[in-house]
């Protein structure tokens, strides 16, 4: 186990080492539940959870379907919270804040580890309630990206 004494640093180190499950668990244990938490940390947490759900990582081989569903839902919740934060940032008066939000939204659209949760055909293979949520989330991200482009 990686332990620096800083839970966020530990989670990041686990993720960098390819230990997606350990990273996701570490993020989950120390992740604030409200939207006031660090959006960057929440995005990193969402990526770790998504990797678990998709079977990416050296420590995810024994995850059950229920475990993968749990981490997929956790990824969705953290991404949704991140997108809500980015939406507020796009409405900010400060151009640098708006630009940072737009950059983060572009990253979501390009992040390879989210491809299977972004691809419409893959999403449609999920249970209907989950698929609907993911489709709405990606639509919201696209709309926010457009809004950010108009704000410049």
């Amino acid at each position: 186990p990686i332990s620096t004494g800083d839970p966020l640093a530990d989670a990041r180190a686990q993720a960098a080492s390819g230990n997606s499950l350990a990273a996701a668990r570490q993020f989950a244990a120390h992740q604030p539940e409200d939207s006031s938490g660090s959006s960057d940390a929440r995005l990193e947490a969402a990526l770790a959870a998504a990797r678990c759900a998709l079977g990416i990582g050296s420590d995810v081989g024994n995850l059950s379907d229920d475990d993968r569903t749990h981490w997929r839902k956790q990824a969705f919740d953290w991404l949704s919270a991140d997108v809500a934060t980015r939406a507020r940032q796009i409405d900010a008066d400060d151009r640098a804040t708006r630009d940072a939000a737009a950059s983060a939204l572009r990253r979501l659209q390009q992040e390879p580890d989210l491809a299977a949760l972004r691809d419409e055909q893959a999403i449609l293979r999920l249970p209907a309630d989950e698929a609907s949520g993911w489709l709405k989330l990606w639509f919201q991200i696209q709309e926010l990206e457009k809004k950010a482009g108009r704000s410049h």
Side-chain angles (χ1 to χ4, degrees), residues 47-69:
L47 289 171
R51 289 179 189 116
C52 289
L54 299 169
I56 301 169
S58 60
D59 58 351
V60 298
N62 293 325
L63 289 179
S64 68
D65 287 344
D66 287 344
D67 292 332
R68 290 178 192 270
T69 297

Side-chain angles (χ1 to χ4, degrees), residues 1 10-11 14-15 18-28 48 52 59-60 71:
D10 292 349
Q14 292 286 6
N19 299 320
S20 302
L21 182 58
R25 285 178 174 160
Q26 188 80 20
F27 279 118
C52 289
D59 58 351
V60 298
W71 288 114

Side-chain angles (χ1 to χ4, degrees), residues 69-88:
T69 297
H70 163 77
W71 288 114
R72 191 171 56 245
K73 288 179 179 179
Q74 184 64 72
F76 178 84
D77 290 346
W78 280 332
L79 283 175
S80 295
D82 187 62
V83 169
T85 298
R86 302 307 179 180
R88 287 189 298 278

Side-chain angles (χ1 to χ4, degrees), residues 34-150:
D34 62 42
S35 61
S36 65
S38 165
S39 195
D40 290 337
R42 205 171 28 247
L43 176 56
E44 292 175 80
L47 289 171
R51 289 179 189 116
C52 289
L54 299 169
I56 301 169
S58 60
D59 58 351
V60 298
N62 293 325
L63 289 179
S64 68
D65 287 344
D66 287 344
D67 292 332
R68 290 178 192 270
T69 297
H70 163 77
W71 288 114
R72 191 171 56 245
K73 288 179 179 179
Q74 184 64 72
F76 178 84
D77 290 346
W78 280 332
L79 283 175
S80 295
D82 187 62
V83 169
T85 298
R86 302 307 179 180
R88 287 189 298 278
Q89 291 172 338
I90 286 173
D91 289 333
D93 292 332
D94 178 56
R95 184 182 175 113
T97 300
R98 288 193 313 268
D99 289 348
S103 177
L105 292 169
R106 277 190 301 280
R107 179 181 175 197
L108 291 177
Q109 291 283 48
Q110 298 167 354
E111 179 61 51
D113 289 342
L114 293 176
L117 296 173
R118 191 174 47 236
D119 175 73
E120 186 173 349
Q121 293 306 311
I123 290 171
L124 293 175
R125 287 192 289 274
L126 297 173
D129 59 329
E130 275 191 79
S132 174
W134 282 105
L135 291 170
K136 288 176 186 174
L137 180 64
W138 292 114
F139 179 77
Q140 180 184 12
I141 290 168
Q142 290 172 350
E143 291 302 304
L144 286 170
E145 278 188 289
K146 290 177 191 173
K147 183 177 182 180
R150 291 190 300 265

